[in-house]
Amino acid sequence: MNFGKINQYILFGGGQLLCLIARQLKQESLSVFVVTSERHSIEPIKINENSMSFTEFLQNSHIDYVISKDISQDSSVINKITENTVGISFDAAWIFRKEFIDRFNGRLLNCHGTRLPQNRGGGGFSWRILRDERVGVSLIHQIDPGVDTGNIILFEEYIYPHSCRYPIDYEMYSIKQYQKLLNTFFGLVRDEKFFECGPQQEYFSSYWPRLATDIHGYIDWSWTLNDIERFICAFDDPYKGALTFLKGKKVRLKKCYSSFNDGVFHPFQKGFIYRISGTTVFVATEQGTLLVNSIMDEDGVDIKRNMRIGERFYTPMKYLEEAKQFRAIYTPTGLKAE
């Protein structure tokens, strides 16, 4: 496929990668227009140690944008699309309908940060952490009416270093890799090169839905130490933390590590706090110790100084059952349950 002479990019969605790419395209004197949703517009963005909202970044960078509830009916978006336009989605909040997709004539693309057709859907890096996956992918594919099913335009694999433990670590490393791939893509488009669009092999496909920390993030203390540690890491920064209970109140755990220095424990000892040393809380599991360095209440207040040895973390079954039954659906305005 050849995109022809392209002089405009429409970027759909939100996030730090979109901001960096929008700024880069503008600096290269290309026309760039951002279409975002209500929930993306207020998300915090941190670039060069400066924190601001997504739309504040666009305003400060003098990048044109619109907050749209329904792009398929939004004339301010539709009227921007020409035969010289490429559209790229960065975790866009809308379902792209066929009539809208057809307006781009094959030039509406999506950035997907995992292998396809494996790992279709959402959930970001949390699913990768839960499965201890270290192979990363920067991938661009055409958007069609399916869920991440379009032809693959360009991709590059890489390995996440072991220094990546939390979603924010994976995200920052992924952004650097994606910038490289997108620079290659923009260069090929500028030179009007042909892309060999490869179809996805359906017999490799898998799908994982999006996650909602406040509902899916409850710790099941019956799991192994390794599974508990990975679960807590999966809901660490930029999320609010994995959930459990202490003395009848919800608490959030972050910054945890496995340790085997104190040996193993009986199943009945699971969840007991048996030592507090400095800022580290030692929690018993069957396979060893969970070291926890961040424990906060629902207001984000550190409660470690008020904790006592002999207390136990636990999660009532009703919260674990709800987590398994709840499916998170995100609309342009936020979360809803299916």
Side-chain angles (χ1 to χ4, degrees):
M1 177 180 180
N2 182 286
F3 289 98
K5 190 67 176 178
I6 299 301
N7 56 27
Q8 177 183 233
Y9 287 90
I10 300 179
L11 309 183
F12 299 91
Q16 184 164 326
L17 178 59
L18 187 154
C19 288
L20 294 171
I21 295 303
R23 185 174 64 183
Q24 175 186 328
L25 292 172
K26 184 174 179 63
Q27 290 172 346
E28 293 176 2
S29 300
L30 287 164
S31 175
V32 57
F33 182 63
V34 172
V35 185
T36 192
S37 64
E38 181 180 331
R39 68 178 174 89
H40 276 130
S41 68
I42 59 175
E43 286 182 344
I45 300 294
K46 187 174 183 179
I47 296 180
N48 297 331
E49 302 304 318
N50 296 316
S51 298
M52 64 198 79
S53 73
F54 180 76
T55 50
E56 285 174 338
F57 173 87
L58 297 178
Q59 293 165 5
N60 293 342
S61 302
H62 306 290
I63 295 170
D64 292 335
Y65 72 93
V66 64
I67 300 173
S68 181
K69 291 184 178 180
D70 183 1
I71 55 173
S72 62
Q73 303 294 326
D74 194 330
S75 59
S76 66
V77 178
I78 293 172
N79 292 339
K80 288 277 188 180
I81 304 169
T82 72
E83 63 181 11
N84 305 115
T85 300
V86 165
I88 306 177
S89 170
F90 297 82
D91 191 30
W94 313 274
I95 295 174
F96 292 99
R97 306 192 185 280
K98 186 177 185 305
E99 300 78 20
F100 187 82
I101 296 169
D102 289 344
R103 293 178 183 275
F104 283 88
N105 194 26
R107 299 185 305 275
L108 182 59
L109 312 174
N110 180 49
C111 290
H112 190 85
T114 63
R115 291 172 171 173
L116 288 177
Q118 299 102 319
N119 299 321
R120 288 173 176 163
F125 298 108
S126 294
W127 291 119
R128 313 286 87 75
I129 295 171
L130 289 173
R131 297 184 62 187
D132 198 22
E133 293 181 7
R134 288 289 166 181
V135 177
V137 177
S138 300
L139 185 148
I140 303 170
H141 70 90
Q142 291 177 307
I143 291 178
D144 63 14
V147 179
D148 299 329
T149 55
N151 290 340
I152 295 172
I153 297 289
L154 203 62
F155 76 95
E156 189 68 43
E157 289 187 335
Y158 54 90
I159 303 297
Y160 288 106
H162 284 284
S163 59
C164 291
R165 285 180 48 81
Y166 312 129
I168 191 66
D169 302 330
Y170 281 76
E171 180 183 355
M172 293 299 101
Y173 194 84
S174 173
I175 285 173
K176 293 179 181 178
Q177 303 304 314
Y178 242 123
Q179 285 181 285
K180 296 176 184 177
L181 184 75
L182 285 165
N183 282 334
T184 299
F185 171 77
F186 294 137
L188 293 172
V189 171
R190 181 182 61 246
D191 296 338
E192 299 187 39
K193 299 292 185 180
F194 280 85
F195 291 89
E196 295 183 7
C197 301
Q200 299 183 33
Q201 304 301 315
E202 284 301 314
Y203 55 84
F204 285 126
S205 68
S206 61
Y207 173 86
W208 304 104
R210 293 182 180 274
L211 295 167
T213 304
D214 288 345
I215 298 173
H216 293 126
Y218 284 93
I219 301 165
D220 187 338
W221 292 97
S222 70
W223 293 333
T224 66
L225 172 58
N226 186 47
D227 288 339
I228 293 171
E229 178 191 1
R230 287 208 306 254
F231 187 82
I232 296 172
C233 287
F235 291 95
D236 207 303
D237 293 339
Y239 309 117
K240 292 186 289 186
L243 285 153
T244 190
F245 281 74
L246 183 70
K247 295 187 293 186
K249 296 183 179 180
K250 288 182 185 180
V251 294
R252 294 184 182 272
L253 275 55
K254 287 186 173 184
K255 307 298 180 288
C256 71
Y257 297 87
S258 297
S259 173
F260 306 96
N261 290 348
D262 290 345
V264 298
F265 301 88
H266 187 276
F268 186 69
Q269 294 175 293
K270 274 190 170 184
F272 270 115
I273 299 167
Y274 70 88
R275 183 186 305 146
I276 300 175
S277 178
T279 60
T280 302
V281 174
F282 291 64
V283 184
T285 78
E286 285 178 76
Q287 294 78 27
T289 304
L290 182 72
L291 306 178
V292 187
N293 291 293
S294 175
I295 304 171
M296 296 174 288
D297 64 17
E298 281 286 80
D299 296 321
V301 177
D302 189 324
I303 63 170
K304 290 197 299 295
R305 68 181 61 183
N306 298 321
M307 296 171 59
R308 299 290 182 268
I309 56 174
E311 295 173 343
R312 188 204 290 262
F313 291 116
Y314 67 97
T315 305
M317 185 58 66
K318 69 174 184 177
Y319 292 96
L320 302 178
E321 291 177 349
E322 182 185 7
K324 293 177 180 179
Q325 297 176 49
F326 183 86
R327 181 169 182 178
I329 304 294
Y330 288 89
T331 70
T333 56
L335 174 68
K336 74 169 186 177
E338 184 178 79

